[in-house]
Amino acid sequence: MQDDVDVAVVAYREEGVWSLTRLPHGVGEDVVELERALRPFPSECGVIGMVAIDEDFFVLARVSGDHTRLLLSDVTAVDEWPLASSVADELGLPDPEDDDDPQPAGDMEILTDLGITAIDLAVMLDDPDAYPDEVLGDIAERLGFGAAYQALVG
């Protein structure tokens, strides 16, 4: 499963400066492990976890204290991937039907206070030609750490 993880990074900001690092193995399996991996990092605006799986979907997690906000880029990934399934469970989402279209679920306002509105996210997620890691790269660019993201994930 870990071979299916395209991106697994954490971004955190201290004194106005963003820092990025890779997340440990295992975060691509379960949202609890992802949250646990994010909690130790300090941040003045919440710690952001970005995980993209097998060019299929991504998860954005934002941890601030004991509070976690989640965004799943595609609910149809729930049937195939443990991470997507655990995020859906955490969000209390019903299982998708076989004929459901790909659509995001969760907190579309997860980054609004950082300058990316729900509408901005919806536009990024609506691009059928964009791979999940590319969308995360666009998000990183908009948040001000695009170069660090590209350097880390290649």
Side-chain angles (χ1 to χ4, degrees), residues 11-33:
Y12 55 98
R13 190 171 73 186
E14 287 187 290
E15 297 181 14
V17 178
W18 285 102
S19 296
L20 272 70
T21 191
R22 292 186 191 278
L23 286 166
H25 292 290
V27 299
E29 301 280 333
D30 183 79
V31 72
V32 173
E33 290 303 315

Side-chain angles (χ1 to χ4, degrees), residues 5 7 9 18 22 24 29-30 37 40 52 71 77 86 88 94 96-97 106 120 126 137:
V5 176
V7 173
V9 298
W18 285 102
R22 292 186 191 278
E29 301 280 333
D30 183 79
L71 176 66
S86 69
E97 301 294 325
D120 295 334
D126 199 38

Side-chain angles (χ1 to χ4, degrees), residues 57-59 70-75 78 84 87-88 91 93 103-106:
F57 74 98
F58 70 81
V59 172
L70 297 167
L71 176 66
L72 175 62
S73 68
D74 179 4
V75 296
V78 167
V87 169
L91 293 171
L93 300 175
Q103 63 182 2

Side-chain angles (χ1 to χ4, degrees), residues 11-97:
Y12 55 98
R13 190 171 73 186
E14 287 187 290
E15 297 181 14
V17 178
W18 285 102
S19 296
L20 272 70
T21 191
R22 292 186 191 278
L23 286 166
H25 292 290
V27 299
E29 301 280 333
D30 183 79
V31 72
V32 173
E33 290 303 315
L34 175 57
E35 290 175 22
R36 187 175 296 134
L38 298 176
R39 291 210 189 284
F41 292 93
S43 186
E44 61 198 31
C45 62
V47 178
I48 300 170
M50 306 170 114
V51 180
I53 304 289
D54 198 41
E55 299 181 350
D56 194 19
F57 74 98
F58 70 81
V59 172
L60 269 181
R62 189 166 176 195
V63 174
S64 184
D66 291 335
H67 184 67
T68 301
R69 299 168 72 180
L70 297 167
L71 176 66
L72 175 62
S73 68
D74 179 4
V75 296
T76 63
V78 167
D79 291 333
E80 294 180 45
W81 301 104
L83 178 60
S85 179
S86 69
V87 169
D89 289 347
E90 185 86 7
L91 293 171
L93 300 175
D95 288 341
E97 301 294 325

